[in-house]
Amino acid sequence: MKAQNTISQMRRGILEFCIISLLADNEVYTAELIDRLKAADLLVTDGTLYPLLNRLQKADILQYRFVESESGPPRKYYSLTEEGHAVLKDLDGAWQEIHGSVEMIRRGNDSE
Amino acid sequence: MKAQNTISQMRRGILEFCIISLLADNEVYTAELIDRLKAADLLVTDGTLYPLLNRLQKADILQYRFVESESGPPRKYYSLTEEGHAVLKDLDGAWQEIHGSVEMIRRGNDSE
DNA sequence: CAAGCTACCTTGCGTTACAAGGTAGCTTGC
DNA sequence: GCAAGCTACCTTGTAACGCAAGGTAGCTTG
């Protein structure tokens, strides 16, 4: 299907936003995040997420701490930094603007 | 501002969708399209749009015809092919799904 | 203590937006 | 009637990013 490529692009664009949103009020470890994003069809593979998290962490948007697991290797639990919360606020505003633009464009042409 | 990069990604993701939407019911020529997209903050430069339009045209989603202008060089007026209309329908559905996912994620963490 | 699972990470590749620079038709002023 | 300038379209080089595939290491289980 030819739309598939474009649809992937749309998903990709909001991936970071969704990750940051998911971490807004909870500490979440990576594999859990992967499951949730995959369930929402926003992520394809874990090889995408790990570099992304590292990037956001280096940008001082995320922080993590290692937590020992009861059954398996230790896990990185991520949460937002103070700056991360500020970024989330910006992203939230941007999302609403973009959403508005898209709806305007969609309506503008459906009406006829 | 650190959110800027992520915001650009979001815009980028929906750029193709918006272009296809804008052409849904109208023949539009390129420079006009550029103005409208720039006005909605969805496009930065025309060097982005031209290759994109060519790609969509090769994918048989768009078609164009040259129209002589009353004041200047001839213009390429774009419109959707039959397949383009089908793609638009898919994209529209995908957009609504994505919109739903994002809202769920946003709410899920604001609540409380 | 070996086999297998879970969790995290790296490398190579292809695609794409963006900035900068370029070509060519058409009009306007002299 | 031609030079200057505008409009419209296009190309090239660069950097960023997602994705597929492959890899490392801790921990449990038999």
Side-chain angles (χ1 to χ4, degrees):
Chain A
M1 198 202 291
K2 293 199 174 161
Q4 208 47 58
N5 187 30
T6 305
I7 293 173
S8 299
Q9 274 186 30
M10 291 199 273
R11 291 199 175 116
R12 238 176 275 159
I14 58 162
L15 180 58
E16 262 183 52
F17 173 43
C18 287
I19 291 167
I20 294 174
S21 284
L22 281 172
L23 295 175
D25 297 311
N26 317 296
E27 262 196 335
V28 182
Y29 80 101
T30 322
E32 202 179 334
L33 210 50
I34 291 170
D35 287 343
R36 295 188 63 174
L37 292 169
K38 279 191 176 174
D41 267 322
L42 291 170
L43 181 68
V44 177
T45 175
D46 66 337
T48 297
L49 189 60
Y50 285 104
L52 206 163
L53 289 173
N54 288 333
R55 210 165 62 235
L56 292 176
Q57 183 241 314
K58 271 172 205 149
D60 200 33
I61 291 169
L62 300 184
Q63 58 195 348
Y64 69 86
R65 59 192 183 95
F66 265 108
V67 176
E68 310 261 323
S69 165
E70 290 166 341
S71 61
R75 301 164 172 177
K76 277 188 171 181
Y77 276 81
Y78 280 94
S79 58
L80 295 188
T81 61
E82 204 170 323
E83 196 165 346
H85 279 103
V87 167
L88 176 58
K89 220 166 213 170
D90 288 341
L91 293 182
D92 223 71
W95 164 253
Q96 295 204 38
E97 273 183 39
I98 288 172
H99 176 240
S101 298
V102 172
E103 288 300 322
M104 220 176 59
I105 287 173
R106 292 210 313 147
R107 299 263 166 72
N109 294 289
D110 281 328
S111 74
E112 163 194 1
Chain B
M1 195 203 290
K2 291 198 177 164
Q4 208 48 56
N5 187 30
T6 305
I7 293 173
S8 300
Q9 274 187 30
M10 291 200 273
R11 290 199 177 114
R12 238 177 276 160
I14 58 162
L15 180 57
E16 264 184 47
F17 174 42
C18 286
I19 290 167
I20 293 176
S21 284
L22 281 171
L23 295 175
D25 297 311
N26 316 296
E27 263 195 336
V28 182
Y29 81 101
T30 321
E32 203 179 332
L33 211 50
I34 291 170
D35 287 343
R36 296 188 62 174
L37 292 170
K38 279 192 176 171
D41 267 323
L42 292 170
L43 182 68
V44 177
T45 174
D46 67 337
T48 296
L49 189 59
Y50 284 103
L52 207 164
L53 289 173
N54 288 334
R55 211 165 62 234
L56 292 176
Q57 183 241 314
K58 270 171 204 150
D60 201 33
I61 291 169
L62 300 184
Q63 59 196 349
Y64 69 86
R65 59 192 183 95
F66 265 107
V67 175
E68 311 261 323
S69 166
E70 288 166 343
S71 61
R75 301 162 170 177
K76 276 187 170 180
Y77 275 80
Y78 280 94
S79 59
L80 296 189
T81 60
E82 203 169 325
E83 197 166 345
H85 279 103
V87 168
L88 176 56
K89 220 165 213 170
D90 289 341
L91 293 181
D92 223 70
W95 164 254
Q96 295 204 38
E97 273 183 39
I98 289 171
H99 176 240
S101 298
V102 171
E103 289 301 322
M104 220 177 58
I105 287 173
R106 292 210 312 146
R107 299 262 166 74
N109 294 288
D110 282 327
S111 78
E112 177 222 350

